[in-house]
Amino acid sequence: MMKQRSRTEYSLINIVVNLGGYGINTLIGFICRIVFVRTLAADYLGVSGLFTNILSMLSLAELGIGSAIGYALYKPLAENDEEKIASLMQFYGKAYKLIGGFVAVIGLFMLPFLNIIINNPPDIKENLYFIYLLYLFNVVFSYFFSYKSTLLSAAQRNYIVAGYNYVITIGQSIFQIVYLVLTHEYIGYLIIQIAGGALYNVWISCKANKDYSYIKNKNAAPLSKQETKSLLWNVKALTVNKLSGVLVNNTDNIAITYFNGLKSVGFASNYVLFSTTLDALITRTFNALTGSVGNLNATKDEEGRYAFFKVLNLANFWLYGWAAIGMAFVSGDLVRLFYGESYVLPLKIPLILAVNFYTIGMLHASYTYKSTLGLFKYGQYILIFTGIINLVLDVILGSKFGVFGIYIATLIARLCTNLWYEPYAVYRYGLKKNPFLYLIRYGIFTAVLAMSGGLCYLLCNMCSFNVGINILVKCVICTVVPNALFVLCFMKTTEFQYLKDRAKSILMRLFKKNRL
């Protein structure tokens, strides 16, 4: 029988594994990216970014089933209801196999439209359609195995999912680096990536089967009509949310390709890489807590939920605010150092990316509570307007201001819709509190961040050393200034004291274990 741990222990293990593994994985992945840029033409970066966006749009077929099933699993896992867990996973498995087939068909249907999106042929020697089919296979294959990772995450064992992923991706990146250095060939690089993804999906599936052998029971009772109806209702709500997210998050590269060409996608992708890397790092922290927050929300009263939300929201601001400042003022020098002067873009590009990064990142606490409280239906229709506004503004602003205009369009679309509605729904329907309380707090956070960013901008502008020294000095500035101001402004709050006490407790526990 598996050892049961407390929420705190699960959260700590999840965070340590996620952050530790992610640090190594990011370093190796970054080296792989540098080798990629140095050995292949810029258009390959554009092709990679474009096809990733297109196939992320096709993942809309997932319909939010993963989040709905994760929410449905919290209670039976807490009660150790093996029959219910097996029934849910049986439903989940059938749904994902159907979805995999659907994605394959729609993906093939997209083939004739590639030459419309890419109106200027890229500077690559390989067949563009063959590359697209390899990307499509990678996505479709995952649907037949990866769904079982949801069970491990819902059981507060995200550290297993993360650990397996890091082992595979680190090994994959090392093989890709060696291959690119020796051959300078893109197809082999892509095949190594596909093989790594397939190995991970099979491995995580086998782990879930081993630890929860009862989910292999094909005779598990199917879900009742009422349970199926409730589940499908949540799926329906999540579908609309996902549609808007896809239209906002995965159309930028398509718009950039259409208005500015694949090279612009490649140039911008180096900056986007920094934002996605930082976002993934912080997201892993919050994902590591999702199972524990779900357990907390299933067992605590409203005041207990609200108190922890405020803690989570402060941590959310702290991490994303600090990261956004660093991204805005350091990323240009990093691009100059690692990829070359020709890849450097004006300050306005990393600045708008940092603003987008911060605004969407600030929703993580709300998203975590929304998914763990089952508030899927709220905001399902208003968020469609996010995507519509983004598409319209992409055309208007993209044609006038290029890459910068497309990123501005994304910010405006979010400001008009989900940036205010998501926390509103959580406060009103989940926490039963006045949403105005969140707005006041958000205003305070933004004012403190603006002061920190302005001071960092002035100090970073004084740096006129060589690129390596500039990076070091700017990193120090963008670490010391915001963190000092954050401590000064929030040190007397209950949330800060909670985080400080918890950090001390964790450090003491780790220190005692090391002494033993």
Side-chain angles (χ1 to χ4, degrees):
M1 184 176 179
M2 289 180 298
K3 179 183 177 182
Q4 295 297 312
R5 296 181 170 91
S6 68
R7 278 195 301 267
T8 300
E9 289 176 319
Y10 274 124
S11 296
L12 178 59
I13 294 171
N14 284 327
I15 290 172
V16 169
V17 172
N18 271 279
L19 296 185
Y22 188 72
I24 299 171
N25 186 46
T26 299
L27 177 61
I28 300 297
F30 197 62
I31 294 171
C32 186
R33 174 84 169 197
I34 295 171
V35 173
F36 187 106
V37 170
R38 300 289 186 182
T39 56
L40 297 172
D43 279 3
Y44 284 104
L45 277 178
V47 168
S48 177
L50 176 64
F51 287 167
T52 298
N53 269 191
I54 290 175
L55 293 171
S56 293
M57 291 180 68
L58 290 183
S59 71
L60 173 65
E62 193 265 343
L63 300 178
I65 291 176
S67 297
I69 289 290
Y71 169 69
L73 283 168
Y74 290 138
K75 185 176 180 181
L77 280 167
E79 297 174 350
N80 200 28
D81 187 346
E82 295 183 357
E83 185 176 347
K84 181 64 65 183
I85 295 169
S87 298
L88 285 166
M89 293 305 294
Q90 185 182 74
F91 175 89
Y92 195 14
K94 289 178 180 178
Y96 254 49
K97 287 168 186 174
L98 287 172
I99 290 167
F102 176 78
V103 170
V105 172
I106 299 299
L108 292 172
F109 179 77
M110 288 287 295
L111 274 171
F113 300 98
L114 292 181
N115 63 343
I116 297 175
I117 299 171
I118 308 172
N119 44 36
N120 293 317
D123 180 23
I124 63 174
K125 62 182 180 179
E126 295 86 358
N127 184 283
L128 201 61
Y129 295 96
F130 179 61
I131 293 174
Y132 174 78
L133 289 173
L134 288 176
Y135 272 93
L136 179 62
F137 172 80
N138 195 31
V139 171
V140 170
F141 184 84
S142 68
Y143 281 105
F144 292 85
F145 295 94
S146 65
Y147 68 93
K148 291 180 182 176
S149 65
T150 300
L151 175 59
L152 292 165
S153 296
Q156 306 180 69
R157 303 177 73 205
N158 188 258
Y159 59 90
I160 293 176
V161 178
Y164 281 26
N165 181 55
Y166 292 140
V167 169
I168 295 296
T169 53
I170 289 170
Q172 170 190 305
S173 294
I174 292 172
F175 276 112
Q176 287 177 316
I177 290 168
V178 173
Y179 182 83
L180 283 176
V181 169
L182 293 177
T183 68
H184 293 208
E185 295 289 337
Y186 181 67
I187 293 295
Y189 166 91
L190 193 54
I191 289 174
I192 293 172
Q193 182 174 309
I194 293 169
L199 180 58
Y200 164 74
N201 285 316
V202 172
W203 194 12
I204 202 71
S205 177
C206 291
K207 177 63 176 176
N209 286 339
K210 178 183 177 182
D211 290 355
Y212 305 92
S213 57
Y214 52 83
I215 66 174
K216 295 186 291 183
N217 180 16
K218 295 182 179 179
N219 297 319
L223 298 175
S224 68
K225 289 184 178 180
Q226 183 59 39
E227 289 170 328
T228 303
K229 183 180 178 180
S230 175
L231 189 59
L232 292 177
W233 177 264
N234 286 338
V235 168
K236 169 182 168 289
L238 284 162
T239 300
V240 183
N241 286 343
K242 188 157 188 176
L243 172 61
S244 65
V246 164
L247 291 176
V248 173
N249 298 323
N250 298 295
T251 56
D252 284 352
N253 279 350
I254 296 173
I256 293 171
T257 301
Y258 184 80
F259 288 113
N260 294 84
L262 276 170
K263 274 191 173 64
S264 293
V265 175
F267 289 174
S269 69
N270 290 321
Y271 287 87
V272 173
L273 174 65
F274 294 125
S275 66
T276 54
T277 299
L278 290 169
D279 181 60
L281 175 62
I282 301 171
T283 298
R284 275 163 171 72
T285 303
F286 281 93
N287 286 347
L289 296 171
T290 300
S292 298
V293 174
N295 182 272
L296 178 146
N297 284 330
T299 57
K300 294 290 184 181
D301 59 16
E302 289 179 3
E303 287 305 314
R305 295 171 187 169
Y306 179 54
F308 192 72
F309 178 87
K310 290 191 292 183
V311 170
L312 205 59
N313 200 34
L314 176 60
N316 200 159
F317 160 74
W318 204 296
L319 293 172
Y320 275 96
W322 176 18
I325 289 174
M327 198 177 84
F329 304 123
V330 183
S331 58
D333 287 300
L334 288 172
V335 168
R336 183 176 287 107
L337 176 66
F338 293 115
Y339 305 128
E341 187 70 37
S342 61
Y343 283 89
V344 177
L345 297 175
L347 176 62
K348 64 182 181 180
I349 299 299
L351 193 59
I352 186 60
L353 284 172
V355 172
N356 279 333
F357 168 83
Y358 170 74
T359 52
I360 196 64
M362 277 299 291
L363 290 176
H364 266 292
S366 297
Y367 282 144
T368 300
Y369 263 64
K370 188 176 182 181
S371 63
T372 55
L373 288 171
L375 305 174
F376 304 115
K377 66 180 181 180
Y378 297 107
Q380 57 178 313
Y381 297 114
I382 192 174
L383 290 179
I384 290 180
F385 291 103
T386 312
I388 295 173
I389 294 169
N390 186 62
L391 285 174
V392 173
L393 292 180
D394 271 350
V395 174
I396 297 171
L397 299 180
S399 61
K400 287 188 175 182
F401 304 107
V403 175
F404 180 71
I406 289 168
Y407 291 139
I408 283 286
T410 301
L411 176 62
I412 295 172
R414 286 172 173 156
L415 284 171
C416 292
T417 52
N418 59 331
L419 288 185
W420 65 268
Y421 188 82
E422 295 294 345
Y424 169 83
V426 169
Y427 263 65
R428 180 169 182 181
Y429 304 110
L431 299 174
K432 312 296 184 185
K433 298 291 182 181
N434 188 340
F436 193 65
L437 295 172
Y438 178 87
L439 184 62
I440 293 172
R441 203 60 164 168
Y442 195 94
I444 294 171
F445 287 155
T446 304
V448 172
L449 183 65
M451 287 190 295
S452 302
L455 186 54
C456 286
Y457 173 74
L458 293 174
L459 293 173
C460 287
N461 262 2
M462 297 178 185
C463 297
S464 56
F465 312 102
N466 65 57
V467 65
I469 300 298
N470 268 354
I471 290 171
L472 290 175
V473 173
K474 288 182 179 181
C475 282
V476 171
I477 291 171
C478 293
T479 296
V480 173
V481 171
N483 281 289
L485 280 174
F486 294 172
V487 170
L488 186 65
C489 293
F490 301 109
M491 61 188 298
K492 294 184 178 181
T493 63
T494 304
E495 298 83 55
F496 178 84
Q497 293 302 320
Y498 176 92
L499 289 171
K500 185 181 74 172
D501 292 343
R502 183 52 60 93
K504 282 183 179 179
S505 174
I506 290 171
L507 290 174
M508 288 297 292
R509 187 180 302 175
L510 291 174
F511 179 72
K512 287 179 180 179
K513 285 184 178 180
N514 288 334
R515 290 188 65 183
L516 293 173

